Amino acid sequence: MTNKYDLSIVGGGPGGYVAAIKAAQLGMKVALFEEDKLGGVCLNWGCIPTKSLLHSAEFMEEANHFGLDKKDLTKIALNKVVEMSRTASENLSKGVSSLMKKNKIDIYKHRAYPKKIDNEFYVKTSSDEITSKNMIIATGCKPRSIGDINFSDLIWSSKEAMIPKFLPKKLCIIGSGAIGIEFASIYNALGSDVIVFESQGKILPQFDNDISNEAKKIFEKKGIKFELNANIENIVEEKKTVSFKNNNKNVICDAMILSVGVIPNLDKDFISTLDLNLTDTGYIGTNHNYETNVNGLFAIGDIIGAPWLAHKAMHDAI
């Protein structure tokens, strides 16, 4: 069965779902491809759930301030804290689904591999063929790893760090950007011994020196430790620990969070099939109107580069 649309969108995050709603309001017939939950990283694995975890962490610190033992609180709270975070994300994702129905946007829960034939974009699913005159790519980014290290039960990206199977006694975080510092705050409040390793000479390197220095003092008062000018090598995951070298010194921890940036969420087949032009850093190149080198094919949000922010993707979408 062939379904024809004015616009198809690949990716249901803040860029994709806002573009879908705006297009539908302008009278277009819209198809949205999202193989996972609507809302993208922001609603499901980023902004929203981390703020829920941080909110819970604040309560933990407040209770500890009034004399309640943090270790006893953590035993009771860890599963509940994670459950509350996931519930917040799920509710918002359901809200986005309702908006899709309200605006009569068709959702396809498939990974899209579009082709362009005779000035139309084609996507095949298991049961349908979808065609559209125009297409928007809004596939976002995913966490960067180090070398050939895979994320696992002990080596976490931001996603694994939000749904821990256990509370590490000693947690090492590689990278002191906003995400690394968020998780340092959360796990410190939950009772982990947290050490943050930063390759540069200050934490939060994207901010000015006054902010970085003051933030470091505040976090150190909470018990978070920092290793600046770090040089991380030889990361090895064992049965219950992760070991590595920092400036030739051996370090062992119960779990590790890699918070070293993001990479474009694009695979080689997607790029080659559409013959997309990429920037030197691997993102999709666009003109001032977000159009790629392929006529009728647009790209918005994280997939076209920094800043990697939800409200920026929404602005691109509009």
Side-chain angles (χ1 to χ4, degrees):
M1 180 178 176
T2 300
N3 297 321
K4 292 184 175 292
Y5 295 89
D6 299 303
L7 174 68
S8 55
I9 300 169
V10 184
Y17 77 73
V18 169
I21 292 169
K22 184 66 175 177
Q25 290 172 345
L26 291 170
M28 299 182 197
K29 186 180 180 183
V30 183
L32 178 66
F33 294 89
E34 175 52 66
E35 60 180 333
D36 201 352
K37 295 178 181 178
L38 290 169
V41 169
C42 180
L43 264 63
N44 294 294
W45 301 107
C47 328
I48 301 304
T50 54
K51 300 311 172 288
S52 174
L53 292 172
L54 281 168
H55 187 59
S56 297
E58 288 176 1
F59 278 105
M60 299 285 284
E61 288 184 335
E62 194 74 10
N64 186 239
H65 175 74
F66 284 102
L68 296 176
D69 190 282
K70 187 183 287 186
K71 292 181 180 178
D72 290 339
L73 284 168
T74 301
K75 289 177 184 177
I76 300 168
L78 182 60
N79 290 339
K80 186 64 177 177
V81 165
V82 173
E83 181 187 333
M84 289 172 62
S85 171
R86 299 319 310 153
T87 299
S89 291
E90 287 165 10
N91 287 341
L92 285 173
S93 183
K94 289 176 183 176
V96 175
S97 296
S98 297
L99 288 172
M100 298 297 102
K101 291 178 182 177
K102 180 181 177 181
N103 287 280
K104 298 179 180 179
I105 296 159
D106 292 339
I107 306 297
Y108 293 90
K109 289 186 173 293
H110 296 273
R111 176 169 289 203
Y113 288 102
K115 296 180 180 180
K116 189 172 188 187
I117 305 172
D118 296 331
N119 295 318
E120 282 197 315
F121 296 95
Y122 287 75
V123 177
K124 281 190 176 182
T125 69
S126 55
S127 57
D128 298 301
E129 185 178 77
I130 292 88
T131 70
S132 63
K133 297 176 182 177
N134 296 283
M135 176 174 280
I136 295 174
I137 303 172
T139 51
C141 285
K142 57 187 177 183
R144 183 190 298 276
S145 185
I146 295 176
D148 59 355
I149 299 296
N150 294 317
F151 297 117
S152 66
D153 289 341
L154 299 183
I155 300 176
W156 302 341
S157 71
S158 54
K159 183 175 181 177
E160 288 81 15
M162 268 183 272
I163 47 173
K165 296 178 180 178
F166 69 100
L167 181 66
K169 185 175 180 181
K170 181 178 180 180
L171 174 67
C172 293
I173 300 177
I174 313 300
S176 72
I179 294 173
I181 291 298
E182 272 192 327
F183 282 113
S185 301
I186 291 165
Y187 279 92
N188 171 256
L190 289 172
S192 295
D193 181 11
V194 179
I195 307 175
V196 180
F197 296 83
E198 170 56 54
S199 63
Q200 298 191 43
K202 65 177 186 178
I203 72 166
L204 296 167
Q206 70 271 43
F207 295 101
D208 65 41
N209 289 335
D210 288 343
I211 291 175
S212 296
N213 292 336
E214 190 62 28
K216 185 170 179 285
K217 292 176 186 176
I218 293 169
F219 294 130
E220 285 176 332
K221 284 182 181 178
K222 293 174 181 282
I224 299 170
K225 303 178 184 70
F226 295 95
E227 292 281 346
L228 303 180
N229 299 305
N231 182 23
I232 307 299
E233 297 178 303
N234 302 330
I235 298 174
V236 177
E237 181 180 356
E238 298 168 1
K239 287 185 178 180
K240 293 186 177 181
T241 60
V242 179
S243 64
F244 60 96
K245 287 184 181 292
N246 174 38
N247 291 316
N248 294 319
K249 293 180 181 179
N250 293 321
V251 182
I252 299 175
C253 53
D254 301 304
M256 170 187 283
I257 297 176
L258 295 181
S259 179
V260 291
V262 295
I263 57 175
N265 197 16
L266 276 176
D267 58 40
K268 292 180 180 178
D269 289 340
F270 197 108
I271 297 165
S272 61
T273 301
L274 290 172
D275 198 22
L276 275 173
N277 285 347
L278 304 182
T279 66
D280 293 340
T281 51
Y283 293 88
I284 297 177
T286 63
N287 63 18
H288 67 282
N289 196 39
Y290 303 98
E291 191 167 20
T292 70
N293 62 295
V294 181
N295 186 40
L297 180 64
F298 300 80
I300 59 173
D302 291 359
I303 198 64
I304 63 174
W308 302 282
L309 300 168
H311 62 273
K312 182 261 188 184
M314 292 175 172
H315 174 82
D316 293 353
I318 298 300

